[in-house]
Amino acid sequence: MILIDGKKIQEEMIIELREEVSKLKTIPNLTIIQVGNYGPSNKYVAQKIKVGTSIGIDVNHINFDDNISEEEVINKIEELNNDKNVNGIMVQLPLPNHLNEDRIVNAVSHKKDVDGLTTTNIGNLFDGKNAYTPCTALGVMELFKRYNIPLKGKHAVILGRSKLVGKPLIACLLNENATVTVCHSKTENLSDITRSADILIVAIGKKYFVKSDMVKDNAVVIDVGINVEDGKIYGDVDFESVKDKVSHLTPVPNGVGRMTVISLMKNVIKAYLEQSK
Ligand code: NAP
């Protein structure tokens, strides 16, 4: 079994992107909008600032009070949309309940939508047009590329249909000519489907859900899951159970989780280059 080493790839990409940024005429800017002080969001924002800064990107963090109105957030986003010095804008999710997430996310100009979550962007992605791929899906695709895993004609099965991970992966894999099946909580005979996968991507948020009887011999298995129990992180795939059966496997931690933030930075550089044209 080949271990897909997200940590190693992330470190390689940091060096590559730092080099790329150093050659640009000006410094790319990413602006993160956060509302409130939700613990996990604080942690994710801190990671984005750390990784972005380490490759030479200017990361601006706007942290609104919990009780800010929707109009105020949208006004700020519109101001940032029109600010030539801002290349990428992302709204840290989740937002407090009184704010309409869909309306706020879609206020971001699709040209600066480095998280890839606006409806316009998702449409472009599914249409095979130039688009910003949502960061975790982009990270998964990068792993396939770096490990020379062929996708054309292969049966790729995605477990999970979230807007952040499962759905964008449908478009990404189709764009690479894979044959794609998507499963979710209502799927019947799930194991029969997963056992037919050449490539199995699991993003459901259930610790050790996938065991060896659910995977085909020599399948490529990508574990997106992050399940925290007593401060420890567990994947959606039971690593020990499947490791001797598959051809490639991502660990948790140090697998896909390492790819999401660096992929965001890739999108920021892409936005900078598109806006410089
Ligand atoms: P989500 O929004 O919670 O969606 C979960 C999906 O899994 C849904 O489509 C759900 O089906 C499906 N599902 C749940 N139980 C299932 C079952 N027993 N059998 C088949 N499908 C089932 O999930 P998400 O945001 O995509 O996150 C999924 C996991 O990935 C979580 O552990 C999350 O922490 C992790 N994650 C990791 C990263 C990273 O950077 N590595 C990024 C994002 C998420 P229904 O649609 O029918 O409800």
Side-chain angles (χ1 to χ4, degrees):
M1 181 270 290
I2 295 172
L3 186 78
I4 299 185
D5 189 343
K7 184 166 183 274
K8 182 173 137 258
I9 302 293
Q10 181 206 29
E11 285 163 0
E12 283 172 15
M13 285 179 76
I14 287 179
I15 294 167
E16 290 165 17
L17 296 186
R18 187 185 292 142
E19 171 84 11
E20 197 177 343
V21 170
S22 72
K23 290 183 185 143
L24 301 174
K25 283 200 192 108
T26 55
I27 296 173
N29 170 280
L30 164 68
T31 297
I32 302 172
I33 295 181
Q34 184 185 1
V35 182
N37 258 303
Y38 177 57
S41 291
N42 292 342
K43 209 178 101 195
Y44 292 135
V45 169
Q47 272 175 13
K48 287 165 192 172
I49 294 171
K50 187 173 163 216
V51 173
T53 308
S54 79
I55 62 171
I57 288 176
D58 170 36
V59 185
N60 179 25
H61 177 206
I62 299 173
N63 195 178
F64 288 119
D65 270 352
D66 235 340
N67 55 6
I68 186 117
S69 73
E70 199 165 300
E71 291 319 308
E72 281 173 284
V73 179
I74 287 178
N75 287 344
K76 176 48 91 179
I77 292 175
E78 278 166 3
E79 188 188 310
L80 297 168
N81 283 341
N82 295 318
D83 184 341
K84 283 203 176 69
N85 296 315
V86 173
N87 304 108
I89 304 167
M90 64 149 299
V91 179
Q92 186 65 45
L93 302 176
L95 292 169
N97 286 339
H98 71 281
L99 299 175
N100 181 333
E101 202 164 280
D102 186 53
R103 190 164 169 244
I104 289 179
V105 166
N106 277 294
V108 174
S109 159
H110 74 276
K111 294 185 175 157
K112 297 190 177 184
D113 176 20
V114 287
D115 234 2
L117 297 179
T118 60
T119 303
T120 305
N121 226 316
I122 294 165
N124 284 339
L125 185 65
F126 272 86
D127 223 1
K129 291 182 180 146
N130 188 21
Y132 296 99
T133 304
C135 306
T136 303
L138 185 60
V140 170
M141 297 309 287
E142 188 74 36
L143 292 177
F144 290 137
K145 210 188 294 169
R146 300 232 173 196
Y147 279 83
N148 296 315
I149 293 167
L151 299 172
K152 186 175 160 189
K154 300 293 177 194
H155 186 203
V157 174
I158 307 166
L159 247 66
R161 55 174 164 181
S162 72
K163 187 175 170 181
L164 235 56
V165 188
K167 279 186 186 154
L169 276 169
I170 302 171
C172 293
L173 290 162
L174 279 179
N175 290 342
E176 294 299 327
N177 295 311
T179 302
V180 183
T181 302
V182 194
C183 303
H184 45 78
S185 67
K186 311 288 184 294
T187 299
E188 293 180 0
N189 305 320
L190 186 70
S191 297
D192 290 346
I193 300 170
T194 58
R195 268 197 300 270
S196 73
D198 301 308
I199 292 157
L200 179 63
I201 305 174
V202 191
I204 59 174
K206 295 220 152 62
K207 178 187 167 187
Y208 292 172
F209 183 85
V210 171
K211 310 229 182 249
S212 71
D213 61 345
M214 291 179 74
V215 300
K216 173 163 132 177
D217 281 337
N218 295 318
V220 174
V221 178
I222 306 288
D223 187 354
V224 183
I226 297 181
N227 307 289
V228 184
E229 253 182 48
D230 299 328
K232 256 192 96 181
I233 296 175
Y234 301 89
D236 287 349
V237 177
D238 186 342
F239 189 94
E240 288 302 316
S241 166
V242 307
K243 73 177 198 301
D244 295 327
K245 200 172 182 188
V246 301
S247 79
H248 293 73
L249 180 60
T250 58
V252 177
N254 294 327
V256 176
R258 289 277 183 165
M259 299 302 294
T260 299
V261 175
I262 195 71
S263 299
L264 172 68
M265 301 311 152
K266 227 181 134 183
N267 274 346
V268 175
I269 297 170
K270 175 180 158 87
Y272 175 97
L273 294 172
E274 301 273 332
Q275 289 156 28
S276 309
K277 273 181 194 163

